[in-house]
Each structure stands twice: as structure tokens, then as C-alpha cells.
């Protein structure tokens, strides 16, 4: 999710995934090499800008190409996940991986910043991470004591002293407590 968010936010900001001229949920121009299956792609077009999102549902890395001649777009072609300019004729996607590509004669605003961010986020390939769910270790940090202030700090509003009724509720997204998966660490099920 950390890799997807910047790409989708940028694509939406340049009106490729919202306010688009054309959307193809099964883009025919994406061609797996050989008899490969499991590669699925969507294409978005806005003016002379095109974007493709691709997913590899297969258990092994796959090679494929994108035939850009069938589109309204021309120009440079970028791999938004690797953060680099690539050739649409020779692309590879890791097992159970996903990618996004962008093509335009002139780069849209914010592209260079997105590419730099994505180069950092994708230094480590997805397939090197464990597929096993585990709770993320958390550690409390002492924020210290802030210095006294006679006025509210910039960006803050002073709230007058009074009695407030504060009530909250919610649901954790981590799931339930399964003692058989806690492995005696107490991370998942405290007190077990």
C-alpha cells in the first residue's frame, strides 16, 4: 500500500484516474511474452497522456510489452514504480507484483518528484518481503516535557479550560486474537 498511494495520488492529480477521457479495464495492447498468463492491465487516457496499471497474478516473474501505437499517446515512457524511463517493448514484472506506466510527450507536473520518491520506495523488491502476516512491533517513546508557553504555538488554537465529554469507538483492522498464532510472544494476545 505504501508503494501504491503516491502513484495513485499523482495519477489522480493529473486527471488520469479521475476525469479521464477513456478507461480500458482490460487493455489489449499489453502482451505477455510467450504463453504467459496472469498479466492483467488497465489503461487510462486523458488528452495526450496515457497510463497503464499492470498486475502479475502469476507465481513467477513475467516479461511483457505494451504496444503504444494503438493509443492516442506518444513520447517518453516511464515506469512509475521503478522511477525510471523504460522501453514499452521490454518490461518485466515480479511474481504477484504490480506496476504503473506513464506515457506523454511532455511530463506532467510532479513527475520528477514522484519518480524520486518511487526509486526510494522500491529499492527492495516486493518478493523479498515475507507473505506471512505478523503484528508490527511498536514502541512507546517519551516525548519529553514541552517548554511552557504564554501564547498558543503557531498553527494551534487555545481551547479554554472546561469539562468535556470525550467518547470514542472503533474497530482495529489487524483482526482478532488467535492464541494459536501468538507464539507465546504476547504481541497479538496480551495476557495469553
Amino acid at each position: 500500500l505504501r508503494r501504491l498511494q503516491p502513484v495513485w495520488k499523482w495519477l489522480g492529480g493529473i486527471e488520469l484516474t479521475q476525469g479521464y477521457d477513456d478507461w480500458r479495464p482490460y487493455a489489449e495492447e499489453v502482451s505477455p511474452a510467450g504463453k504467459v498468463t496472469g498479466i492483467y492491465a488497465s489503461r487510462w487516457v486523458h488528452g495526450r497522456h496515457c497510463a497503464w496499471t499492470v498486475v502479475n497474478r502469476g507465481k513467477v516473474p513475467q516479461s511483457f510489452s505494451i504496444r503504444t501505437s494503438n493509443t492516442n499517446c506518444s513520447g517518453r515512457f516511464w515506469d512509475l514504480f521503478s522511477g525510471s524511463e523504460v522501453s514499452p517493448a521490454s518490461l518485466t514484472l515480479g511474481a504477484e507484483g504490480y506496476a504503473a506506466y506513464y506515457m506523454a510527450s511532455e511530463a506532467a507536473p510532479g513527475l520528477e518528484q514522484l519518480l524520486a520518491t518511487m526509486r526510494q520506495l522500491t529499492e527492495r523488491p516486493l518478493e523479498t518481503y515475507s507473505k506471512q502476516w505478523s503484528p508490527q512491533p511498536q514502541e512507546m517513546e517519551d516525548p519529553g516535557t514541552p517548554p511552557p508557553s504564554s501564547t498558543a504555538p503557531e498553527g494551534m488554537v487555545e481551547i479554554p479550560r472546561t469539562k468535556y465529554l470525550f467518547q470514542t469507538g472503533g474497530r482495529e483492522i489487524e483482526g482478532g486474537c488467535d492464541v494459536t498464532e501468538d507464539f507465546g510472544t504476547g504481541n497479538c494476545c496480551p495476557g495469553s
Side-chain angles (χ1 to χ4, degrees):
L1 291 176
R2 187 173 289 154
R3 295 174 186 212
L4 290 171
Q5 191 268 344
V7 170
W8 281 104
K9 187 175 181 180
W10 183 79
L11 288 172
I14 63 167
E15 297 189 338
L16 271 165
T17 56
Q18 50 192 359
Y20 48 81
D21 296 334
D22 183 34
W23 171 52
R24 297 287 167 117
Y26 297 101
E28 310 88 29
E29 65 270 15
V30 177
S31 304
K35 296 183 178 183
V36 174
T37 58
I39 295 283
Y40 300 97
S42 291
R43 180 188 74 223
W44 283 268
V45 178
H46 186 73
R48 307 271 308 157
H49 300 260
C50 291
W52 291 264
T53 53
V54 184
V55 63
N56 176 6
R57 300 286 308 242
K59 302 289 184 196
V60 296
Q62 312 247 7
S63 296
F64 63 99
S65 62
I66 298 178
R67 293 182 316 280
T68 59
S69 58
N70 298 349
T71 68
N72 190 29
C73 299
S74 62
R76 297 170 67 186
F77 192 86
W78 291 273
D79 178 338
L80 298 179
F81 277 83
S82 73
S84 59
E85 193 167 351
V86 295
S87 167
S90 178
L91 303 167
T92 303
L93 187 52
E96 299 177 331
Y98 43 87
Y101 302 95
Y102 169 68
M103 183 175 199
S105 54
E106 285 187 35
L111 178 64
E112 287 305 318
Q113 183 178 359
L114 172 69
L115 297 176
T117 299
M118 295 310 294
R119 279 191 294 273
Q120 252 184 338
L121 288 175
T122 58
E123 284 178 331
R124 181 176 170 190
L126 273 181
E127 55 268 15
T128 64
Y129 291 94
S130 172
K131 293 181 184 178
Q132 183 68 35
W133 180 90
S134 64
Q136 189 69 26
Q138 297 181 28
E139 202 174 291
M140 292 291 287
E141 289 187 18
D142 182 5
T145 304
S149 178
S150 60
T151 60
E154 185 178 333
M156 294 190 164
V157 177
E158 183 178 357
I159 299 174
R161 182 177 178 169
T162 187
K163 291 185 179 185
Y164 288 96
L165 173 61
F166 180 77
Q167 188 174 12
T168 184
R171 182 176 296 170
E172 292 182 14
I173 62 170
E174 286 84 4
C177 176
D178 186 347
V179 177
T180 63
E181 293 181 7
D182 196 28
F183 307 108
T185 63
N187 289 332
C188 224
C189 305
S192 63

